[in-house]
Amino acid sequence: MTTGFTTGRALRPTTKVLPEHARGHNRALVLQTLYRSGQQSRADIARETGLTRVTVSDLVAELIADGLVIEVGQREDARPGKPATLLDLDRSAFHIIGIDLSEYDTFRGAVLDLDGRILHRAELPLASATGEDATALVIALVETLVGHATLPILGVGVGSPGVVDLAGVVLTAPNLGWANEDLQGTLNLRFGLPVVVANDANAAALAEHSFGGADSDMMLIKVGHGVGAALLLDGTPLYGSRFAAGEIGHVVVGTDGGAECVCGKRGCLETWLSTPRLRSALAAADAETNIQILREAGQRLGIALAPIVGALNLAEVVLSGPIALLDGPLAEATIETLRNRTMAEFHGDLTLRMTTLGEDIVMRGAAAMVLSAQLGVS
Ligand SMILES: [Zn+2]
């Protein structure tokens, strides 16, 4: 998938604009307009943003001086008079590095351009590394990608499994053996670049909402090394009281026990649904039993999701992970279970689908986080 970022929607702003932030806000508005709409004149930007032409000219001068905006020529215009000068975000000003730590056997990353196109890929086998060894692998992967960037790097975005706070500290990621791992701080110190670390499912949901056309009330389920989820309500990401919103992987599903989980409990959703658990269960069984295993996993997911769909009146559930495992008997059993367990008149039109962004979803979401943090565009 190398489609650009530019055809999508911006996330709804969640904070009020204070007067002292107005200039930065207006600057981001101008950048956002150019990022989404492409070449525009100063007058176009003023119309689009509601800012005065004087303010726009002033901000544009500053953005040109900062190397973020360029003049790209004159508009072909039949009308008499001086033709308008067109401006654009300088799309060749920076590269972005996007990193995906969600897969169980590989850390993946890419150099992306500002439009979200993947220019160079790299990956490192995880080889069961945990703790400091896993951190060293992330550093090695970023180092490789930094070496492949041919423009200044706007920032590094990382989608990590586990619970990640808003300062990019991985509070817990059992599968990688991380607890209070300051990944954002470590990478920032090591590379001297802006770094954004967020939960992998939250990064994926951002990519899906901005570029995949997802509904504004949706839940994204990320199946990989573990099972994570992210929630968007009214277009706004939900983080929860301790940043663990969407962490359904270690919720026990049912009262009938189940396999032992890495967290110490039995029958967590992850024990039914994570990629390594599913792969090993399928490898040990015949074809007919395989369908049963996939259906059982789908039913367990449906059981876990039904109260969430019911409580939040979600419109859409998006699945992200290995298509061969998820798309088929598993997804069918999930939607059947959801329909059986929720109210048809309010949840009957709920849709469940695979992401359209493929396996690059977390890397693209990670790059989108950098764009949002550094330029205020999304
Ligand atoms: Zn667990």
Side-chain angles (χ1 to χ4, degrees), residues 56-375:
V56 168
S57 290
D58 190 30
L59 288 168
V60 163
E62 184 184 294
L63 289 164
I64 289 175
D66 289 348
L68 288 169
V69 166
I70 44 169
E71 295 189 333
V72 290
Q74 310 282 307
R75 174 173 284 151
E76 307 265 332
D77 205 335
R79 284 174 299 174
K82 190 169 166 244
T85 302
L86 292 172
L87 305 160
D88 198 357
L89 185 74
D90 185 356
R91 291 163 200 272
S92 60
F94 296 102
H95 283 156
I96 299 175
I97 290 174
I99 304 283
D100 174 6
L101 308 181
S102 65
E103 292 310 317
Y104 79 103
D105 52 0
T106 312
F107 281 169
R108 305 171 62 230
V111 178
L112 299 96
D113 68 14
L114 292 191
D115 287 318
R117 279 182 288 267
I118 289 179
L119 306 173
H120 182 86
R121 294 170 187 275
E123 57 179 57
L124 283 174
L126 186 53
S128 305
T130 56
E132 282 175 19
D133 296 339
T135 308
L137 280 177
V138 181
I139 291 171
L141 183 58
V142 174
E143 191 151 46
T144 302
L145 289 165
V146 166
H148 280 94
T150 52
L151 292 173
I153 296 166
L154 184 65
V156 179
V158 181
S160 169
V163 179
V164 185
D165 73 12
L166 295 181
V169 177
V170 182
L171 300 178
T172 172
N175 291 317
L176 292 174
W178 282 342
N180 295 314
E181 177 74 21
D182 183 7
L183 194 58
Q184 189 166 306
T186 302
L187 292 175
N188 176 264
L189 200 66
R190 177 73 175 70
F191 296 99
L193 291 167
V195 179
V196 189
V197 178
N199 172 267
D200 53 357
N202 283 336
L206 182 63
E208 184 58 49
H209 182 263
S210 298
F211 325 119
D215 198 275
S216 290
D217 293 286
M218 70 90 131
M219 185 168 188
L220 182 135
I221 314 291
K222 178 87 187 65
V223 177
H225 199 155
V227 176
L231 283 151
L232 277 185
L233 296 180
D234 207 10
T236 305
L238 189 76
Y239 295 108
S241 59
R242 293 182 61 194
F243 313 107
E247 282 300 308
I248 57 167
H250 296 287
V251 169
V252 175
V253 189
T255 53
D256 54 349
E260 194 172 330
C261 183
V262 66
C263 74
K265 296 195 292 289
R266 282 191 172 276
C268 288
L269 183 60
E270 225 173 86
T271 64
W272 304 99
L273 204 62
S274 75
T275 306
R277 297 269 192 167
L278 266 178
R279 289 229 166 103
S280 64
L282 293 174
D286 60 34
E288 201 174 317
T289 318
N290 272 355
I291 292 177
Q292 279 168 25
I293 290 168
L294 292 169
R295 281 195 58 83
E296 169 91 42
Q299 283 161 359
R300 296 282 169 169
L301 177 60
I303 293 169
L305 291 184
I308 304 169
V309 166
L312 302 177
N313 195 191
L314 299 176
E316 190 172 39
V317 175
V318 178
L319 298 178
S320 165
I323 293 174
L325 296 178
L326 301 180
D327 200 11
L330 193 156
E332 286 159 21
T334 303
I335 192 77
E336 275 170 36
T337 308
L338 275 171
R339 295 221 189 289
N340 289 338
R341 286 170 176 253
T342 53
M343 291 167 75
E345 66 266 50
F346 301 117
H347 308 294
D349 58 355
L350 173 81
T351 57
L352 177 127
R353 64 170 174 86
M354 292 296 301
T355 173
T356 54
L357 300 177
E359 62 173 9
D360 295 331
I361 185 169
V362 174
M363 290 192 297
R364 294 186 67 196
M369 298 186 311
V370 172
L371 274 168
S372 172
Q374 293 306 116
L375 301 183

